[in-house]
Amino acid sequence: MCFVHVTKGERHDEIKSLEACACSRLCRYCGLSVAACDGNDAAIKKRENIVNIATTSTSQLTENWNPLSPTASQGTCGALYEGLFYVNVAGGDDTMQPMLGESYKFSDDNKELTIKLKDGLKWSDGKPITSDDAVYTFNLINKTSSLNSIGWHGTVKKVDDTTFTLIFDQVATMTARAILTGVPLVPKHVFEKMDDVTTDVNKNPVTSGPFTLDEKDFTSQSYVFRANPNYHEKGQPYIDGVRYTSYAGGTATQDAIIAGEIDWASNVFQDPEKQLKNAPVDYLTMPSSAQVLVTCSNAELGCTGPQTDVAVRKAIYYGMDRAQLNKLAFYGIFYDSSSSLTPTPENEEYLSPDVPESTVPEEANVEKAKQLLEDAGYTMGSDGIYQKDGVRLSFEVPAISGWTESINGVDVAGQQLKKVGIEMKVKQVSANEMTELYSKGDFQIITENMWYSGSEPYDFYNTFYASDQTAKVGEKGVNGWARYSNKTVDDALDVINSTTDTNVKKEQYAIIQQQVYDDMPYIPMMRTATMVETSKEYTGWVTKDNVYAAPASWNTWDTGIILRQIKPVTDNK
C-alpha cells in the first residue's frame, strides 16, 4: 500500500483525498490499479510501466471522454482518440503524417475531399473502424453546432468500406486542413445509442488511439489509461499505461516532480537549474500559448460592465509594464507577444507590418491609458479609481487556483493598473468553475491561455474570433470566450478559407489583425513559456534537438504521439 506524506502547512482535506497512487514510483513497479491505490490489495497486478502525468486541473476531476466535446478530459484527444492525420506544428513540419487516414485527395475545384482510411483498423472493442464511422462522425458534427469547432458544413458520402468523400458547401481549404488534422472519428455503434451526444460523457469509451480506459480506473483525483490491445501501430505503445493525477496546486506538483513521483509535467520552476539539480527529470523550455486577459466584450450578446467599452480594454493594455510583469510574475522566461496576438516567429510571414505594435510595449504608457479613459468620459474618483455613470473601473478577475503564473500575473498587473486608475484583483477558482465561467460568458474579465495551432494564423483567429465560435452570455459557446463578433473578421476568414493564394491571404490577415487590435477583446499580456519536465526513466521524449511534437503534457494530439513513442530505459539495455 502507498502512503501520502503530508507536508506541514498543507490542507489536510486536500491531501487525504489524494490517491495513494500519487506515490507513483511504488505504484508503478507494483502495477497497482486505482482500486489497489484505494487500499484493495487484491487488485495488485503484474509489474507494469505506468507513466505518471500531472493534470492541468488542481481540483477534483470530472470525467468526459467524448472527443467531440470542447470540455473533454485531458488526454481524450490524442491518447484515447486519434485524428486522420497529424502535423507537427511545433517542429515546423507541415507534412501530413498518417494516423487513422492513409491518403487524401482534393477535387480540381477544391470542393470535394476524398479520404482513404488505413486497412485493418479496429476500435478497442475489436470492431472494425470503417467509413461508416467517418460518415456518422461528420454528419453528427454538421448538425450539432456545439460540437462543430472546425466549421464543417457540407455533405459526406461513403465510397467503400475504407473510403469516404466530404463535399463542401463552398471552397474551404483551411476547414479541410482542420478536418484532416483535428477531427477524431467516433464509433457509430456506440454514439448512435446516446440520448444526447452533447452531454453524454462517454463512460467506458471505445477508442481508436494507443490507450483505452475502464470506468473503474477513474476517481475524482486520478484516472488511468491502459494500452489498447487493438491499436493499429503494432508494438506500440511501449508502455502499459498512463496515470493522470490532480495535485493540490503548483507547489504540490513541483514537490512531486522533484521527488520523482511525476514522469511528465508542464510546470514552471523559478530556478530550474537549482531546483531540479538532483531531481530524476530533464527539462526544456519553449514558447507556448498566449497569456491574456479575456474580456466579456460584446454588450449585444449580453456582456455587462465597463470592460465592454474598448477604451477600458485599451487602457488596461497600455497600463501594463510587461518587462516588470515578466520579472515578477513569470520568472523572466516568458516571451513578447504581438498586439494582434499573431504567433511569432512561426507565423511571421503573415504578420502585417502596418498594424501598430507588432511587438507589444514592454513599458507601461500610463498617460496614454488615462487619456483614453478621459476621452471616453471617465472621471477620476476621490479614491484614485476612474468611474463613469457611478460605475467604478473595478474588476475581480478569476484565475485557476494553483496556476501560479496566472495568479501572479493578475496580482502584478493589478498593482500596475492602480497608477492608471483601474482596480483589478484576482479571485482564485477551481478548474471546473473556470470552465463554466468562460464557456457561458459569466464574467467581466478572466485570465486564460489561448493556444496556437496550424502553419498559419487561420486556426487561431477562427477558433477565438469567429462569430460562429461564440454564443450569447448564458449559453455555452465553443471557444469564443470573449463573446466577440465582427463581420469584418468573419468575412476575411471566409476569404482565407476559400483561397490558396498566399498574397490574398496576407491581405486578409492584415484586415483581421487591424480589427482585433482596434477592438482588443483579448488583451495581450505575454506569450507563455512552456517548461516541460520528463522522467529520466523513459527515453524518446521530445528534446530541443528532436522536436517531433509539441512537448507539453497538456497538448491535445501531440500527447498521443509522444506517449506511443516513449520507452522505459530498461527496454534499451
Side-chain angles (χ1 to χ4, degrees):
M1 182 179 293
C2 300
F3 295 90
V4 176
H5 172 71
V6 180
T7 303
K8 183 178 180 181
E10 289 181 326
R11 287 179 54 197
H12 182 257
D13 60 340
E14 290 178 328
I15 297 302
K16 71 179 182 180
S17 65
L18 287 175
E19 298 206 68
C21 283
C23 304
S24 59
R25 281 301 173 273
L26 179 55
C27 289
R28 174 191 301 144
Y29 293 118
C30 292
L32 301 185
S33 67
V34 171
C37 290
D38 282 338
N40 182 6
D41 292 350
I44 296 177
K45 299 181 180 180
K46 64 181 180 66
R47 178 187 297 248
E48 293 178 306
N49 279 298
I50 303 294
V51 169
N52 292 281
I53 299 177
T55 66
T56 56
S57 174
T58 56
S59 55
Q60 287 194 336
L61 301 172
T62 57
E63 61 179 328
N64 183 357
W65 316 115
N66 183 343
L68 300 178
S69 170
T71 58
S73 298
Q74 187 174 344
T76 301
C77 290
L80 296 184
Y81 291 91
E82 289 186 337
L84 296 164
F85 296 87
Y86 168 76
V87 171
N88 178 16
V89 176
D93 183 359
D94 211 31
T95 305
M96 290 277 185
Q97 301 176 30
M99 300 299 286
L100 298 180
E102 179 180 278
S103 62
Y104 64 93
K105 183 178 181 180
F106 286 96
S107 61
D108 291 340
D109 62 2
N110 285 319
K111 287 187 176 181
E112 294 189 7
L113 174 60
T114 299
I115 301 169
K116 166 110 175 40
L117 299 175
K118 291 177 179 178
D119 292 327
L121 294 175
K122 291 183 179 180
W123 295 106
S124 57
D125 64 0
K127 294 184 183 297
I129 300 175
T130 71
S131 55
D132 290 329
D133 297 302
V135 170
Y136 173 82
T137 300
F138 285 101
N139 279 334
L140 177 63
I141 292 172
N142 191 36
K143 70 180 183 182
T144 314
S145 60
S146 63
L147 303 179
N148 195 359
S149 62
I150 59 167
W152 153 244
H153 301 291
T155 57
V156 55
K157 66 179 182 181
K158 176 180 178 178
V159 177
D160 57 39
D161 284 347
T162 58
T163 311
F164 62 99
T165 297
L166 299 172
I167 305 167
F168 295 85
D169 290 345
Q170 59 186 24
V171 176
T173 56
M174 299 306 297
T175 299
R177 183 179 180 86
I179 284 171
L180 290 171
T181 60
V183 176
L185 298 189
V186 298
K188 177 184 177 183
H189 65 283
V190 174
F191 273 61
E192 67 182 356
K193 297 176 183 177
M194 295 179 180
D195 292 332
D196 185 351
V197 73
T198 65
T199 59
D200 197 301
V201 298
N202 190 28
K203 291 189 176 183
N204 287 313
V206 174
T207 68
S208 62
F211 298 92
T212 189
L213 175 132
D214 190 308
E215 182 63 21
K216 66 179 176 58
D217 283 339
F218 174 83
T219 75
S220 61
Q221 291 298 331
S222 73
Y223 51 87
V224 180
F225 294 163
R226 303 282 175 178
N228 179 1
N230 290 311
Y231 187 54
H232 56 85
E233 296 299 316
K234 300 303 180 186
Q236 292 185 345
Y238 302 111
I239 56 176
D240 297 310
V242 186
R243 178 179 292 107
Y244 286 87
T245 301
S246 171
Y247 289 83
T251 300
T253 304
Q254 288 190 354
D255 289 345
I257 293 169
I258 293 170
E261 297 170 3
I262 297 174
D263 299 310
W264 189 12
S266 301
N267 196 282
V268 177
F269 285 80
Q270 186 170 1
D271 187 354
E273 285 195 23
K274 180 179 179 181
Q275 292 171 279
L276 297 175
K277 181 178 180 180
N278 297 315
V281 296
D282 295 309
Y283 75 92
L284 72 139
T285 304
M286 293 180 66
S288 185
S289 52
Q291 184 86 37
V292 297
L293 294 173
V294 183
T295 70
C296 192
S297 62
N298 192 345
E300 292 183 1
L301 289 182
C303 297
T304 59
Q307 83 290 341
T308 58
D309 186 343
V310 67
V312 174
R313 301 197 292 270
K314 283 294 187 71
I316 293 172
Y317 170 75
Y318 284 112
M320 286 187 284
D321 183 330
R322 290 171 180 81
Q324 185 186 60
L325 192 64
N326 196 13
K327 180 180 179 181
L328 297 182
F330 305 141
Y331 310 135
I333 65 171
F334 276 25
Y335 302 84
D336 289 333
S337 182
S338 66
S339 62
S340 61
L341 291 170
T342 301
T344 56
E346 57 266 48
N347 290 165
E348 192 89 39
E349 177 185 3
Y350 297 101
L351 180 62
S352 171
D354 298 325
V355 178
E357 295 152 2
S358 56
T359 299
V360 294
E362 286 206 342
E363 296 181 357
N365 189 335
V366 174
E367 293 309 312
K368 184 170 185 175
K370 287 184 173 182
Q371 192 63 53
L372 283 166
L373 294 174
E374 292 175 7
D375 288 347
Y378 293 86
T379 58
M380 181 71 76
S382 59
D383 59 355
I385 303 299
Y386 277 100
Q387 65 85 35
K388 184 177 181 181
D389 298 330
V391 180
R392 298 170 69 248
L393 294 186
S394 178
F395 303 98
E396 189 174 64
V397 180
I400 296 177
S401 178
W403 286 28
T404 307
E405 297 78 41
S406 296
I407 295 167
N408 291 346
V410 175
D411 276 339
V412 173
Q415 293 297 318
Q416 295 170 348
L417 290 172
K418 285 181 180 178
K419 298 177 182 178
V420 174
I422 297 173
E423 183 176 66
M424 191 168 74
K425 297 179 180 179
V426 70
K427 176 186 178 182
Q428 296 191 42
V429 299
S430 70
N432 294 334
E433 288 174 313
M434 179 65 87
T435 299
E436 191 71 9
L437 289 174
Y438 67 63
S439 65
K440 290 189 175 181
D442 188 17
F443 62 89
Q444 292 184 327
I445 301 176
I446 59 174
T447 182
E448 256 295 352
N449 292 345
M450 301 166 72
W451 60 87
Y452 293 125
S453 63
S455 55
E456 56 183 270
Y458 176 86
D459 288 346
F460 172 74
Y461 286 126
N462 188 60
T463 296
F464 293 106
Y465 293 89
S467 295
D468 62 6
Q469 295 293 303
T470 196
K472 293 180 179 179
V473 172
E475 299 176 4
K476 284 198 174 184
V478 183
N479 292 310
W481 306 330
R483 267 50 197 175
Y484 183 70
S485 178
N486 185 288
K487 188 176 185 302
T488 299
V489 172
D490 293 338
D491 289 347
L493 287 169
D494 286 342
V495 173
I496 294 168
N497 197 18
S498 64
T499 185
T500 57
D501 188 318
T502 300
N503 290 326
V504 172
K505 288 184 177 184
K506 287 181 179 180
E507 292 172 0
Q508 299 304 312
Y509 281 126
I511 292 171
I512 294 172
Q513 290 160 7
Q514 183 65 54
Q515 192 66 58
V516 301
Y517 166 76
D518 290 342
D519 296 339
M520 206 163 283
Y522 301 92
I523 304 172
M525 297 179 80
M526 300 198 74
R527 186 168 184 182
T528 67
T530 291
M531 185 175 290
V532 181
E533 299 83 24
T534 53
S535 171
K536 293 180 180 179
E537 296 186 2
Y538 294 89
T539 63
W541 299 108
V542 170
T543 65
K544 287 187 176 180
D545 296 327
N546 184 19
V547 185
Y548 65 84
S553 57
W554 44 258
N555 273 306
T556 302
W557 305 110
D558 305 82
T559 298
I561 297 294
I562 294 170
L563 287 173
R564 75 179 197 174
Q565 294 276 95
I566 59 173
K567 297 180 179 180
V569 170
T570 52
D571 284 2
N572 297 319
K573 293 181 178 179

